């Protein structure tokens, strides 16, 4: 049998798509968390925090492959909400 190796270009497109998705999601979630008061509405804050954590997991993995500066900055901002 023969071994078929995917072209790196195909992989790069998928990684670029994931980077773009993560940046869009972080750009949507972070401003909301910045405005929310954790003490006034803890349940709502936790809901948004859960969304953030899901994106952080994906973004961290993708960042290890792509090294995107903007994504790195967004991840640093996201980290401030985890403390």
């Amino acid at each position: 049998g023969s071994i078929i190796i995917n072209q790196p270009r195909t992989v790069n497109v998928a990684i670029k798509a994931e980077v773009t998705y993560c940046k869009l999601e972080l750009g949507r979630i972070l401003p909301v968390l910045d405005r929310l008061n954790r003490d006034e509405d803890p349940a709502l804050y936790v809901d948004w925090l859960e969304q953030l954590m899901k994106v952080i997991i994906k973004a961290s993995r993708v960042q290890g492959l792509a090294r995107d500066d903007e994504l790195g900055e967004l991840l640093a901002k996201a980290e401030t909400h985890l403390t």
Side-chain angles (χ1 to χ4, degrees), residues 44-71:
L44 183 60
Y45 188 85
V46 167
D47 287 345
W48 281 93
L49 197 59
E50 287 174 353
Q51 291 182 52
L52 177 67
M53 288 185 283
K54 289 176 186 174
V55 176
I56 286 174
I57 292 167
K58 179 184 283 263
S60 296
R61 184 182 54 77
V62 173
Q63 179 66 357
L65 300 171
R67 298 281 183 244
D68 183 272
D69 291 340
E70 184 183 355
L71 183 56

Side-chain angles (χ1 to χ4, degrees), residues 15-25:
I15 292 170
K16 286 179 183 178
E18 283 192 275
V19 166
T20 301
Y21 170 80
C22 290
K23 289 194 292 192
L24 289 171
E25 281 297 283

